[in-house]
Amino acid sequence: MTTVTSESADSLSSWITLLLAFSCGLIVANIYYAQPLIGPISADLGLPPQLAGLLVTMSQIGYGAGLLLIVPLGDLIENRKLVIATMVVGAAALACAALATSPSTFLFSALLIGIGSVAVQILIPYAGHMAPEAIRGRTVGNVSTGLMLGIMLARPLASFVAAHASWHVIYAASALAMVILAIVLRLALPPREPAARLSYGQLLGSMVELYRDTPALRRRALYQAALFSCFSVFWTTSPLLLAGPDFRMSQTGIAVFALVGVGGAIMAPIAGRIADRGWTRPASVAAMLLCLIGFALTLLFPLGTTGSLATLVIAAVAIDCGVQLSLILGYRVLFVLGAGHRSRLNGLYMTTFFVAGAAGSGIGAYAYAHGGWMLAAAFGIALPLAALAYFATEPR
């Protein structure tokens, strides 16, 4: 089997790209299944309502820790082995979650599910290594389409399965899917040996230097932090709005609304082509404006009206497209900085905006609880405005 070195790839088959995209979607979905199932899981396990949010938070903590501590190992350890080992952890955790009968067991499993799900952030730089320079942005964009679809489809899929069977089933099925997928990836993907020869301590220490000495990383990470936080505000508060007295939408209706966000996935391959053409600056502005205008539109009509619902749908697609566009542009900028530290750059990039997204969810929920949709939308609008202000300082 051919070994893929840092810069040796000169082609990438469409079926390998499709496999990587499918894998990313299937893996990342694991950390989103719990979001619509907080109620039934907490009730079944006897977790107090005031602690139910931990069902989601623990997987987020695990994912964040994995981004910082495991993803950088892609610059040190053979990538295929690292992906499979991480997926095995995730599969075992999913199986434990499916069998859980106590809150502590499920919460610990959720932590490990988050850690196991960072395999997607090893696969994306891997795709960047495999793709030739001329189509690197397009390839990463295509693979990230699967990531976006996995995020957006996980919640309605989990709701549907739980409604017709049990929440245990979605976790058991996903555990089996991870095992099968790991076998397929082991057989289909060529190994990729990193060139770096560092200890793990040196690897982590070098990330501080990378962040300090790479202005492009800091800038793209902060752009994406603002937009991903805006995304988190919208998708945390819009279900609360739709379930509230203005719309009184059922869980099924909210699940259908969540499917609207899948439309944002169409932006990923488009974004990759835009990045490959060198249009990063104008496309960055477009991404910020999509998020800004999307949120602003939701304030045009009185809540509960047909016009208000229509603008929420438009906002969902616009914000998702803006965030996805910015994400791919950031990948393209970072992945041309050198193959030797591509995984570390990705780990720092993802960690920065993932933390911002978690903060956006918390602040957005607080804003909605204390000021309704008006305050939550104002916060959502302020974030892309801040990104535009920071972009104005970017050297030409």
Side-chain angles (χ1 to χ4, degrees), residues 248-340:
R248 300 186 184 279
M249 194 173 284
S250 67
Q251 283 300 118
T252 301
I254 294 172
V256 172
F257 177 79
L259 286 173
V260 172
V262 175
I266 65 171
M267 179 54 71
I270 298 171
R273 286 164 172 77
I274 289 171
D276 285 337
R277 290 177 179 268
W279 297 342
T280 299
R281 283 183 62 86
S284 296
V285 174
M288 296 167 193
L289 289 175
L290 279 168
C291 293
L292 171 62
I293 294 170
F295 240 127
L297 285 174
T298 66
L299 300 176
L300 289 180
F301 297 94
L303 295 177
T305 63
T306 302
S308 177
L309 182 59
T311 56
L312 281 168
V313 170
I314 294 170
V317 176
I319 292 170
D320 287 1
C321 283
V323 171
Q324 190 74 350
L325 176 57
S326 176
L327 175 68
I328 304 305
L329 294 173
Y331 277 142
R332 185 65 172 84
V333 169
L334 298 180
F335 287 178
V336 299
L337 297 180

Side-chain angles (χ1 to χ4, degrees), residues 30 53 57 82 118 120 137 147 156 207 215 230 233 246 248 271 291 302 365 386:
N30 294 329
T57 301
L82 182 60
V118 299
V120 297
L147 180 74
M207 293 173 69
C230 173
V233 171
D246 292 306
R248 300 186 184 279
C291 293

